[in-house]
Amino acid sequence: LSDRLEDLKRVTFQEKLGSLYDKVQRVCRVASGLSVLVPHASEKIKRAALLSKCDLITGVVREFPELQGLMGKYYALHWGEDAEVAEAIYEQYLPAHAGGDLPSTDTGAVLSISDRIDNVVTFFSIGLKPSGSEDPFALRRQALGIISLLINRGFAISLEELLQIVFEGPVKTDVADADTLKEEVLGFFLQRLEHLFISEGYPHDTVQAVMEKSKTLPLVRVKEIMDAVESFKKEPVYNETLIALKRVFNILKGIREPLSDEVDEGLFMHEEEKVLYQRAREIAEEVRVSVERFDYRKALLLISGLRGPINVFFDNVLVMDKDERVRLNRLCLLAMINRMASGFLDIYRLQEL
């Protein structure tokens, strides 16, 4: 099968994007970068990527294009390739439609992601992107396929990290510089992700609370955070917690000056300051460990324990004290709580029930 690689140079993939051989080289580079996600299958992934399009120039596939991938699988098996490599050549085209079957192997999943992300980025790079109801290259479907694969396989990679792998190589662009193109593609994925989450029944405020983190967290983690939020919403303390935390957020959002990570206990003038600070310090490590263990519900429940001390603080302490040092220290205390509460989601985007 590999003997057909050179023949790919004579077949155009897209006028501005080069030959099928060029396409395969790009997919190989992305697949190699992604292979770290499944080290046990690293060599199989690279081999499957190299052979992924060789069947497209066979007589059978030229006559029956719908057999692409399937014939590649059979050719690979015939020529003695590893069974998982052969299966991946077929599975690179899965899912074939929204809600369709996903690859059964890590190798097939990585190859499918590599092929699709190359399509999305390269077509965007030459200005061929979806517009309104028009999506001639099915880029929306391909983006949804990538999202589904990342969640289904639980791959520990974020959308930003995925795009970083793509953009580590030379990406020619007719429409903008590489950084602008990357942001545009990331925005496109976030739109698809938001649409998917809403269609799965997650409330709008829950989805909005995780959209920013969806750039930098693996999508399987994002789903777990939303599930934790939905569980937390059933707790009697949900509304009280949200109202208390929004008091913190609202007083900080108008502050432009940088706030230190350090809080000076020596500047406390009220017992309510001490109680809030001590309680926040007590749970900070537990919250951090819970997040590291992906126990987001426990983290939310721990944070909810601050609602009482926060309300008592605001009821009895004037944050904007005339003494500049005292004022800044109180703001630093609130900023400490704000960082803890918004470490894994934008909790302030949630709505009371």
Side-chain angles (χ1 to χ4, degrees):
L1 194 58
S2 58
D3 291 343
R4 296 182 178 272
L5 270 173
E6 286 297 312
D7 295 335
L8 296 178
K9 292 180 179 179
R10 298 196 295 270
V11 182
T12 300
F13 170 64
Q14 202 281 338
E15 184 181 357
K16 293 184 178 180
L17 299 175
S19 66
L20 272 178
Y21 182 86
D22 297 323
K23 161 74 172 173
V24 166
Q25 296 308 304
R26 293 194 302 270
V27 171
C28 282
R29 186 173 49 75
V30 175
S32 179
L34 291 177
S35 66
V36 298
L37 298 172
V38 279
H40 66 275
S42 178
E43 292 308 312
K44 294 179 183 179
I45 289 169
K46 294 172 185 176
R47 184 65 178 171
L50 185 67
L51 303 177
S52 59
K53 305 301 179 186
C54 289
D55 66 323
L56 299 185
I57 53 174
T58 63
V60 174
V61 175
R62 278 186 293 190
E63 187 171 353
F64 302 102
E66 67 273 16
L67 295 180
Q68 65 178 2
L70 183 61
M71 290 309 302
K73 169 184 173 178
Y74 291 140
Y75 284 132
L77 290 172
H78 176 75
W79 291 109
E81 297 291 341
D82 180 90
E84 189 168 329
V85 169
E87 190 66 26
I89 294 173
Y90 166 68
E91 291 184 335
Q92 68 179 300
Y93 299 106
L94 301 180
H97 53 79
D101 291 338
L102 297 176
S104 62
T105 65
D106 286 333
T107 302
V110 170
L111 182 56
S112 179
I113 291 170
S114 303
D115 184 44
R116 291 162 193 263
I117 193 65
D118 175 73
N119 288 339
V120 173
V121 170
T122 55
F123 279 105
F124 262 68
S125 75
I126 58 175
L128 296 178
K129 51 192 175 182
S131 176
S133 61
E134 298 296 317
D135 187 11
F137 302 102
L139 299 184
R140 292 190 182 105
R141 177 169 60 80
Q142 296 195 59
L144 278 174
I146 292 170
I147 289 167
S148 297
L149 287 165
L150 290 174
I151 294 172
N152 175 263
R153 306 305 294 192
F155 287 148
I157 188 171
S158 68
L159 290 174
E160 281 194 349
E161 290 167 336
L162 173 60
L163 289 176
Q164 185 58 41
I165 289 173
V166 179
F167 281 84
E168 280 175 356
V171 177
K172 297 178 182 178
T173 168
D174 293 348
V175 294
D177 62 84
D179 288 339
T180 302
L181 176 61
K182 189 191 300 183
E183 285 301 310
E184 188 177 14
V185 173
L186 180 59
F188 174 68
F189 270 93
L190 293 178
Q191 289 174 356
R192 296 297 93 210
L193 187 64
E194 181 178 1
H195 175 78
L196 175 66
F197 287 160
I198 294 293
S199 72
E200 290 180 343
Y202 289 102
H204 185 264
D205 65 321
T206 299
V207 174
Q208 290 304 308
V210 299
M211 288 314 296
E212 189 63 27
K213 300 299 181 184
S214 297
K215 299 177 182 178
T216 56
L217 287 177
L219 296 185
V220 66
R221 303 278 90 89
V222 174
K223 287 267 287 187
E224 290 170 353
I225 292 169
M226 291 195 298
D227 290 337
V229 168
E230 288 308 292
S231 176
F232 182 55
K233 283 183 176 181
K234 298 173 184 176
E235 296 290 333
V237 298
Y238 171 73
N239 280 346
E240 292 176 40
T241 302
L242 208 56
I243 291 168
L245 290 173
K246 285 185 177 181
R247 296 180 79 176
V248 174
F249 175 73
N250 287 335
I251 202 167
L252 289 173
K253 67 180 180 181
I255 304 299
R256 297 289 176 262
E257 57 209 298
L259 297 174
S260 170
D261 292 343
E262 300 297 323
V263 177
D264 187 348
E265 295 179 73
L267 291 174
F268 290 157
M269 300 171 63
H270 299 274
E271 184 65 23
E272 292 81 3
E273 292 175 278
K274 298 177 184 177
V275 170
L276 178 56
Y277 178 61
Q278 288 168 357
R279 183 65 185 131
R281 284 190 61 185
E282 285 170 6
I283 69 166
E285 180 63 15
E286 285 188 83
V287 170
R288 185 189 67 78
V289 171
S290 296
V291 171
E292 282 188 354
R293 293 175 177 171
F294 315 129
D295 192 348
Y296 302 111
R297 184 176 183 276
K298 182 178 179 180
L300 288 167
L301 289 171
L302 286 166
I303 292 167
S304 74
L306 294 176
R307 66 192 186 282
I310 288 173
N311 288 329
V312 172
F313 172 86
F314 277 111
D315 291 344
N316 295 279
V317 177
L318 177 65
V319 176
M320 298 305 184
D321 194 90
K322 60 184 179 181
D323 185 316
E324 181 72 1
R325 293 191 308 152
V326 172
R327 181 183 73 87
L328 281 175
N329 198 55
R330 288 172 181 167
L331 288 173
C332 288
L333 170 57
L334 295 178
M336 169 187 170
I337 295 167
N338 184 57
R339 285 191 297 272
M340 189 190 311
S342 58
F344 56 96
L345 81 162
D346 295 325
I347 200 167
Y348 308 105
R349 290 186 176 272
L350 296 176
Q351 299 297 316
E352 296 100 81
L353 300 176

